[in-house]
Amino acid sequence: MPEEKRNIGKSNEFIYLAKQASNNLNSGTSVFFKITLSISIALTFLAIVGVYLTTSKGLRLWGINNSVPWALDITNFVFWIGISHAGSLISAILFLLRQHWRAGIHRIAEAMTIFALFTAIIYPIFHTGRPWLTIFWVFPVPIQSGVWANFKSPLMWDVFAILIYLIASVVFLYIGLIPDLAILSKQVKSSFLQRIYNFLSHFWIGSSMQWKNFKATYLVAAGLITPLVLSVHSIVSYDFAVSIVPGWHTTIMPPYFVAGAIFSGCASLILLLILCRKLFNIGNIISIDVIEKVNKLMLVSGLMLAYAYLTEFFFVFYGANPFENQSLNNRLLGDFKFVFWSMISMNVFCPQLLWFKQIRRNTGFSLFISILVLLGMWLERYSIIVPNLAIDFISSNWKSYFPTLTEISILVGSFGLFITLFLLFLKFFPIFSIYDLLKSNSSHKNYE
Amino acid sequence: MIYLSQTHPIKIMNRILFIVFNNFQDFEFFYHKIFSKRNLQHEYYSAGDIESNFLIDKRSRLLPLIAMIAGMTGIVLALLFQFWTSASDYPLNLSGKPFFSLLISIPITFEFMVLSSILTILIAFIFLSRTRLKEPAIEKEIKKLILQGKSVLKVDAEVLLDDFFRKNLQEFINDEKVIVHKNYE
């Protein structure tokens, strides 16, 4: 039996788990944590500089032009929205499917969802060029002439979908946190944290009436979040699919985007799980078994994505539309062929290594594959957006695109922002759900 | 606090018993195999209450109903809002398309439904889960025990009239697995 499996068996006690959760909150940070946080904060400053320059000097600092108005920013936006998906998948869908192995990791997944969404929102706001006016464009208020925002536009649907997804994810995370905050409010040393925990869980004493309400609320919230996960990325795909741009105008887009989102989200989750194991020494909670299961999810969603790629190619072949053919040729053999074939090797071929159990259970290989998948998924979004815009219907309109330093600094900085927010959350809130772990452990026992 | 044991004959003077389990597994065993079957079907006993850090396998029926009503209200409001803004307040002709269409309203209506349901159920959950402290000192002590990982079964003291229940409880007491509080009037 693996060491971690034995440990989780022994640690099947409330006191042990509560102590472990409170130790993470009470003890000082490790050197590795401090180094990781310092690097992520430094990267965040890079994004702040990029955003400051963009706001003060305008979008001329970006490489976008009239032919390619959406480029790195929308690529990053779709990438981060995708990352946010596996969080809700792990948490809500696996809860509905009664998958007990989610107990130790769903809090991390939910936090990943929220911070990835928060990072994603930055891009469309700054892409407007005048972010201080965003509130007038995106919220449903009439402008001076009395005209309302166009609710028939997928861009407007995007605003609603993402904001509501963010609110719903925060509510879902909060509901799950309540019992743990009540327990830990007596165990954390910091009076500041005590006050916050007490405020957030002031009504909770753990009576059967509260548990009954809790279970119903959590179940309904999970049931609401699940279709929301599918709808949000479908709506993001409508931004492309309802246009007439060759390469975008296809009905495969919603399932293609959802599969890709889950795929990249699983990769991101594996990366964060391995990071948490290293930072907080919780190998007994985030066991190799759990990492293997997420790897299996990644393999399945990767196969779905590969099928979506094939379907996309078949649509072009069967449709016999010259502009679609030209667009696909450009991606496969044109200026962007390096992006396309790198994407295929990282997203289709590389995950096939996960058929081997030894690789699925090896944290080093899992980390390596998940980084490649994340890179591949970023390239996929780039490959969908930029080449299709660069070569469209009219040859006089063809123009290439190269990212500028400002855009790259915002891209790199967004990773810093995400990791910073994630680490701060883990430092100030319980990493795992105590009651869920107890329940999932005890449910495997036989009391007959 | 009174320790119930062979040497302390039980006198049912108080209305409520708090049976404190040190171990969740004992609590779960006792609850599922002894208490729930006997207590909930016996006319003598009140429904009882369980206080624990662990999920109880029961679910409120009221909250999903509230969420459904809130969701349906969200659907109606979202449709009315979209109709009013697009077709009534300032109808805008976009390439000759109809001012309002149910199909095109689905995405925003769905999002509104989710928002309305999830916020309402959160508020309802907090509101319905407020604790009504009848005896603050005792409740405070119980909460303290719960936060130490113990589980508490709150039952009507008349439960001790049942031989089966009392015999099983006695076994736990002899093994020093439980403490019985019965000083709550």
Side-chain angles (χ1 to χ4, degrees), chain A residues 12-15 98 140 142 145-152 156-157 160-161 164-165 167-168 171-172 174-175 178-179 182-183 185-187 201-217 219-221 224-225 227-228 231-232 235 238 435-436 438-439 442-443 445 447-448, chain B residues 23-26 28-29 32-33 48-61 63-64 67 81-82 84-86 89-90 92 94 97-101 103-105 107-108 110-115 117-119 121-122 124-126 128-133 139 143 146-150:
Chain A
N12 180 18
E13 291 296 332
F14 171 83
I15 300 290
R98 303 285 185 269
S145 59
V147 184
W148 287 87
N150 181 13
F151 296 110
K152 301 182 190 85
M156 199 62 199
W157 301 347
F160 277 91
I164 290 171
Y165 186 40
I167 294 168
V171 169
F172 193 53
Y174 171 59
I175 294 169
I178 291 168
I183 295 162
S185 63
K186 306 290 173 205
Q187 303 198 15
S201 64
H202 65 281
F203 62 93
W204 187 263
I205 62 163
S207 70
S208 62
M209 177 263 289
Q210 289 182 334
W211 276 117
K212 271 177 5 187
N213 290 342
F214 174 85
K215 192 156 186 187
T217 307
L219 187 70
V220 171
L224 288 167
I225 290 258
L228 199 60
S231 83
V232 171
I235 287 175
Y238 293 157
Y435 62 89
D436 250 352
L438 284 164
K439 186 69 189 168
S442 68
S443 66
K445 290 189 178 299
Y447 294 103
E448 291 297 331
Chain B
N23 188 314
F24 176 61
Q25 277 75 43
D26 294 332
E28 204 178 32
F29 175 83
H32 287 297
K33 303 297 173 204
D49 200 5
I50 307 118
E51 310 210 5
S52 164
N53 272 314
F54 312 98
L55 277 170
I56 306 298
D57 285 328
K58 283 183 178 178
R59 206 179 297 148
S60 160
R61 289 180 182 179
L63 282 164
F81 179 72
Q82 287 177 90
W84 180 67
T85 54
S86 308
D89 189 48
Y90 200 115
L92 199 61
L94 297 167
K97 289 175 187 167
F99 292 128
F100 179 75
S101 148
L103 268 181
I104 207 89
S105 308
I108 288 183
F110 170 75
E111 305 294 340
F112 256 100
M113 184 270 288
V114 172
L115 181 71
S117 288
I118 209 159
L119 288 181
I121 201 169
L122 174 70
F125 165 58
I126 294 173
L128 293 174
S129 303
R130 287 170 308 154
T131 38
R132 296 167 189 85
L133 298 179
E139 296 282 356
K143 186 174 180 181
I146 288 162
L147 296 180
Q148 286 168 358
K150 295 175 172 37

Side-chain angles (χ1 to χ4, degrees), chain A residues 50 53-54 56-64 404-407:
Chain A
L53 287 173
T54 303
S56 59
K57 297 190 188 247
L59 289 178
R60 66 190 169 87
L61 291 184
W62 290 11
I64 52 176
T404 62
L405 271 179
T406 313
E407 286 172 294

Side-chain angles (χ1 to χ4, degrees), chain A residues 329-340:
Chain A
N329 278 337
N330 179 42
R331 287 170 69 193
L332 264 67
L333 306 166
D335 293 344
F336 296 93
K337 64 181 178 223
F338 173 74
V339 174
F340 181 83

